[in-house]
Amino acid sequence: MTTLSEENYLKAIYHLEKQGNDAVSTNAIAEQIETKASSVTDMVKKLAEKELANYIKYQGVSLTERGRLTAMSVIRKHRLWETFLVNKLNFSWDEVHEIAEQLEHIKSEKLIDKLDDFLDNPTHDPHGDPIPDKHGNYTKIKSKSILDISIGSQGVLISVKDSSKAFLKYLNKNELALGDTVKIVDFEPFDESLTIETKSKTMTISKNVAENLYLSV
Amino acid sequence: MTTLSEENYLKAIYHLEKQGNDAVSTNAIAEQIETKASSVTDMVKKLAEKELANYIKYQGVSLTERGRLTAMSVIRKHRLWETFLVNKLNFSWDEVHEIAEQLEHIKSEKLIDKLDDFLDNPTHDPHGDPIPDKHGNYTKIKSKSILDISIGSQGVLISVKDSSKAFLKYLNKNELALGDTVKIVDFEPFDESLTIETKSKTMTISKNVAENLYLSV
DNA sequence: ATTAAAATTTAGATAAGACTAAAAATATAT
DNA sequence: ATATATTTTTAGTCTTATCTAAATTTTAAT
Ligand SMILES: [Mn+2]
Ligand SMILES: [Mn+2]
Ligand SMILES: [Mn+2]
Ligand SMILES: [Mn+2]
């Protein structure tokens, strides 16, 4: 049985492994989890002890198959609970992450299976992130950052890379939501900003915003 | 902010105060929480420190108003989650207690208010226990143990005193559910058993069972 | 009123998880 | 190649929540 803290480390390592290619560094984990490197070293030893991670001193960490599956299970719970909060309890998509951080640690297979059914087996959470099935499998909708899409073309807003409250609130304010069709109208080389067009309006977005918006391709 | 462990102690003290009249003893709490008396002494000091409980060495514990309100809030969450599990996720009433023991510690006012609305502001949980409102107020339906009801009279099964899995499964097996109309037909002095009658059948129940069934009066 | 039993508290240990400061290893820059 | 900077680990401390064993207080019984 994994503890709440172990689960948070596994999740962090999983997310870091998915970005960078090689073994995950102690400092990277520390930053992600907002803890100190020395605490990470301790925990990583414990995860290796439990065969949830591979760890060689000074050489970083990677998840074992068991570790990866455990991480996926926590991520599955997180995303199902977020979906519940938005779809059933009418939370806004910028309010659910913190609550899901708590709910993801509730231990009951049956609960999460029933929740999954209750939500009609959703494949993606409110931020467009894929929800793994109970075996840890998922399919991410093919998408590209707006930055990498050529001027004149268009697509449907599939997911956001940054799901921070600040970014989501920005999107709310500017009436951008998942499912919207977005057309890239213009690119300004000076500040790398983009002009985009939706059903309701035309607007300019910064590079910073653009790289966090993913369109179907 | 109260910890999970503190919340469990507050709940235990609350329930014990409601039965017995005077101050709650260290041993009683220890038994309820399945821990050692010495652990209880430690925690009770901490609760007193936080002004959640009144505590005088060797003389037992009682909740302060703040302690009582905190306990009520945890109980409110517990019962709302149980209601969610049964009414929305189709759990059976004997399966929900353990899961609610975890869910009751999730910290979010907004979550529990929205859950309350989602469930249509239920007044009683799946075991017939009253659900306090957000101010800690509730109204228990007037009821009496079957043991204290005279032969020949009848009432509606309102709540069960014992909500252990074993007892609830016994009731499932014998097709007794909340809302059923029950008539007391006979009393056998020898073993203090009772014969009762429901729409579907007539059956004999032990004293032990009878004292845990509460009928409207 | 003593004495025995039961309940409660204290003292000291342990385990998980986190932190600080110092030591050791690795990476970078000249 | 050597010195410097950065990263990582170790050693030791702290907090929360437990536990066991011993000491103390209260209660019950003679
Ligand atoms: Mn999230
Ligand atoms: Mn999400
Ligand atoms: Mn319960
Ligand atoms: Mn209940």
Side-chain angles (χ1 to χ4, degrees):
Chain A
M1 191 54 36
T2 48
T3 68
L4 182 149
S5 193
E6 287 166 358
E7 290 182 350
N8 284 336
Y9 275 89
L10 292 174
K11 240 190 348 166
I13 298 167
Y14 175 83
H15 286 310
L16 291 167
E17 264 188 339
K18 227 179 26 172
Q19 310 175 192
N21 18 6
D22 46 357
V24 174
S25 79
T26 301
N27 266 357
I29 299 170
E31 191 183 2
Q32 176 96 353
I33 281 188
E34 296 185 68
T35 187
K36 295 300 156 95
S38 55
S39 305
V40 174
T41 301
D42 282 350
M43 180 56 88
V44 143
K45 283 180 186 167
K46 200 177 145 197
L47 294 176
E49 191 62 44
K50 286 192 165 193
E51 301 193 66
L52 294 164
N54 307 114
Y55 167 60
I56 307 169
K57 256 193 195 185
Y58 294 105
Q59 314 227 127
V61 197
S62 63
L63 294 182
T64 62
E65 184 58 12
R66 269 189 62 215
R68 194 189 65 83
L69 284 172
T70 306
M72 292 303 288
S73 156
V74 178
I75 289 167
R76 168 173 159 79
K77 290 179 208 157
H78 182 100
R79 293 181 178 162
L80 282 172
W81 279 117
E82 283 189 343
T83 304
F84 168 71
L85 294 172
V86 169
N87 291 6
K88 300 293 185 177
L89 298 195
N90 292 115
F91 273 93
S92 160
W93 68 342
D94 59 290
E95 303 175 301
V96 296
H97 181 75
E98 291 77 6
I99 303 178
E101 285 291 309
Q102 298 181 60
L103 286 164
E104 72 189 6
H105 303 291
I106 300 292
K107 270 150 180 89
S108 168
E109 272 275 330
K110 193 164 187 177
L111 169 60
I112 210 68
D113 289 345
K114 278 177 173 283
L115 183 64
D116 192 20
D117 286 344
F118 182 59
L119 300 171
D120 297 316
N121 312 107
T123 59
H124 292 76
D125 83 357
H127 313 107
D129 291 314
I131 301 176
D133 68 19
K134 57 188 309 185
H135 308 295
N137 304 312
Y138 64 89
T139 41
K140 190 157 175 55
I141 297 172
K142 257 203 158 10
S143 63
K144 262 191 193 168
S145 161
I146 283 191
L147 268 196
D148 304 325
I149 288 178
S150 53
I151 297 168
S153 62
Q154 62 170 45
V156 174
L157 187 52
I158 290 297
S159 68
V160 292
K161 187 174 166 202
D162 177 357
S163 321
S164 70
K165 188 170 256 176
F167 183 56
L168 298 176
K169 276 180 175 281
Y170 163 88
L171 295 180
N172 287 345
K173 197 167 67 183
N174 291 95
E175 295 170 42
L176 276 171
L178 294 194
D180 289 0
T181 298
V182 177
K183 183 174 179 181
I184 292 87
V185 175
D186 194 19
F187 173 70
E188 171 50 60
F190 174 64
D191 61 357
E192 300 181 271
S193 67
L194 281 163
T195 303
I196 62 173
E197 192 182 295
T198 66
K199 279 123 293 178
S200 53
K201 60 177 170 174
T202 299
M203 64 185 288
T204 301
I205 59 175
S206 66
K207 180 194 181 188
N208 192 348
V209 167
E211 67 193 357
N212 283 299
L213 295 177
Y214 280 67
L215 300 190
S216 63
V217 286
Chain B
M1 191 53 39
T2 47
T3 66
L4 183 149
S5 193
E6 286 167 0
E7 290 182 350
N8 284 336
Y9 275 89
L10 291 174
K11 243 193 343 169
I13 298 167
Y14 175 84
H15 286 310
L16 290 166
E17 264 189 338
K18 228 179 26 173
Q19 310 175 192
N21 18 6
D22 47 355
V24 174
S25 79
T26 300
N27 266 357
I29 300 170
E31 191 184 2
Q32 177 95 355
I33 281 189
E34 295 184 70
T35 186
K36 295 300 156 95
S38 55
S39 306
V40 174
T41 301
D42 282 348
M43 179 57 88
V44 143
K45 283 180 186 167
K46 199 176 146 198
L47 294 177
E49 192 63 44
K50 287 192 166 190
E51 301 192 65
L52 293 164
N54 308 114
Y55 168 60
I56 307 168
K57 256 192 196 184
Y58 293 104
Q59 313 225 129
V61 197
S62 63
L63 294 182
T64 62
E65 184 58 11
R66 269 189 61 215
R68 195 189 64 84
L69 283 172
T70 307
M72 292 302 288
S73 157
V74 177
I75 289 167
R76 168 172 159 79
K77 290 178 207 158
H78 182 100
R79 293 181 179 163
L80 281 172
W81 280 116
E82 282 189 343
T83 304
F84 167 72
L85 295 173
V86 168
N87 292 5
K88 300 292 185 178
L89 298 195
N90 292 115
F91 273 93
S92 160
W93 69 341
D94 59 290
E95 302 175 303
V96 296
H97 180 76
E98 291 78 6
I99 303 177
E101 285 291 310
Q102 298 180 59
L103 286 164
E104 71 189 5
H105 302 293
I106 301 292
K107 271 154 179 85
S108 167
E109 272 275 329
K110 194 163 187 178
L111 169 61
I112 209 68
D113 289 345
K114 278 178 173 284
L115 182 65
D116 191 19
D117 286 344
F118 181 59
L119 300 170
D120 298 315
N121 311 107
T123 58
H124 292 77
D125 84 357
H127 312 106
D129 291 315
I131 300 176
D133 67 20
K134 55 187 310 184
H135 308 295
N137 303 312
Y138 64 90
T139 41
K140 191 158 173 54
I141 297 171
K142 257 200 156 11
S143 64
K144 261 190 194 169
S145 161
I146 283 191
L147 267 195
D148 303 326
I149 288 177
S150 53
I151 297 168
S153 61
Q154 62 170 46
V156 174
L157 187 53
I158 290 297
S159 68
V160 292
K161 187 173 165 205
D162 176 358
S163 323
S164 70
K165 189 169 255 177
F167 184 55
L168 298 177
K169 276 180 175 280
Y170 164 88
L171 295 179
N172 288 346
K173 197 167 66 183
N174 291 95
E175 294 169 43
L176 275 171
L178 295 194
D180 288 359
T181 297
V182 177
K183 182 175 181 181
I184 292 86
V185 176
D186 195 18
F187 173 71
E188 171 52 57
F190 173 65
D191 61 357
E192 302 181 90
S193 67
L194 282 162
T195 303
I196 63 174
E197 191 182 296
T198 66
K199 279 124 292 178
S200 54
K201 59 176 171 176
T202 298
M203 63 186 288
T204 300
I205 59 176
S206 66
K207 181 195 181 187
N208 193 346
V209 166
E211 66 194 358
N212 283 300
L213 295 177
Y214 280 68
L215 299 191
S216 63
V217 286

